[in-house]
Amino acid sequence: MSARELARGAATLDELRAILDGFEGCALKRTATRLVFADGNPQARVMFVGEAPGRDEDQQGLPFVGRSGKLLDLMMGAIGLDRSSAYIANVIPWRPPGNRTPTPQETAVCRPFIARQIELADPDILVCLGGPSAQALLATTEGITKLRGRFMPYETGSRTIRAIATFHPAYLLRTPLGKRLAWRDMLAVEGALKG
């Protein structure tokens, strides 16, 4: 069965996780230590989605637990969120070998699963962390510097969610000057949650 059909068949997030656990259609599963499905509160009003797990995430089975995760926690904390009031996932649920960039094929295979995960979590706001996440979810080829900071519609099939892209925390660790712009993006998220 195709990834799209399998993803559609999941009625709950737990079912989706079980389907991914048994899915053999992505070669990354064979090189990863474990599935990195999600962390946080699936009933939260805001969902953060990154690109793919790194080494720390692969070892712990949770997204954003390394240095990038600590920065994401600080970014969320600055607008009154934490892992109990946000839901966190990745477009790709398995670590690519050596933290390489996922191929377009790997992203395409995994996209139906993250789309269904977003649909089932049903957040009010979707935050795409980094260009690859934004491009995969928002069906655009624009780079993150052009995409970031503005709300766009994300269609789940049953409703429209407000989506915004911002810099990935790993990028901000390498390029601290981007933190000023990311802070503006987080303030926009905070405003949208209040509005």
Side-chain angles (χ1 to χ4, degrees):
M1 238 188 339
S2 76
R4 186 169 280 110
E5 292 169 52
L6 286 167
R8 277 271 138 238
T12 66
L13 289 167
D14 286 337
E15 282 181 26
L16 185 63
R17 180 187 200 117
I19 288 167
L20 273 167
D21 260 335
F23 183 66
E24 297 297 331
C26 182
L28 293 176
K29 181 179 180 182
R30 292 188 282 284
T31 57
T33 304
R34 59 178 46 100
L35 173 71
V36 179
F37 185 70
D39 193 18
N41 180 353
Q43 282 84 45
R45 290 185 58 213
V46 62
M47 181 174 179
F48 294 86
V49 180
E51 180 182 24
R55 183 179 55 82
D56 295 328
E57 291 77 12
D58 185 47
Q59 289 174 348
Q60 295 185 42
L62 294 169
F64 289 92
V65 292
R67 287 181 63 225
S68 293
K70 286 179 179 47
L71 181 53
L72 178 60
D73 288 344
L74 290 172
M75 291 166 69
M76 290 190 305
I79 60 167
L81 298 174
D82 60 24
R83 290 186 186 236
S84 68
S85 58
Y87 189 54
I88 306 165
N90 282 302
V91 172
I92 310 280
W94 298 284
R95 177 191 181 205
N99 289 354
R100 68 161 170 75
T101 302
T103 67
Q105 294 81 7
E106 290 162 348
T107 301
V109 165
C110 294
R111 189 180 295 117
F113 295 112
I114 188 63
R116 184 66 176 149
Q117 192 171 355
I118 294 165
E119 185 178 6
L120 290 168
D122 198 30
D124 292 330
I125 299 166
L126 177 65
V127 182
C128 300
L129 297 169
S133 169
Q135 290 169 351
L137 296 175
L138 303 175
T140 181
T141 56
E142 277 190 295
I144 188 65
T145 51
K146 285 190 176 167
L147 280 174
R148 60 145 294 279
R150 58 189 159 97
F151 282 98
M152 293 159 269
Y154 175 83
E155 299 294 335
T156 66
S158 55
R159 75 182 274 238
T160 303
I161 295 172
R162 294 179 75 191
I164 189 169
T166 191
F167 294 118
H168 192 287
Y171 170 82
L172 296 174
L173 289 170
R174 294 187 310 269
T175 316
L177 287 175
K179 288 181 180 179
R180 182 175 47 85
L181 296 173
W183 172 238
R184 283 191 209 151
D185 301 340
M186 295 303 284
L187 289 175
V189 170
E190 181 182 41
L193 286 169
K194 289 178 179 172

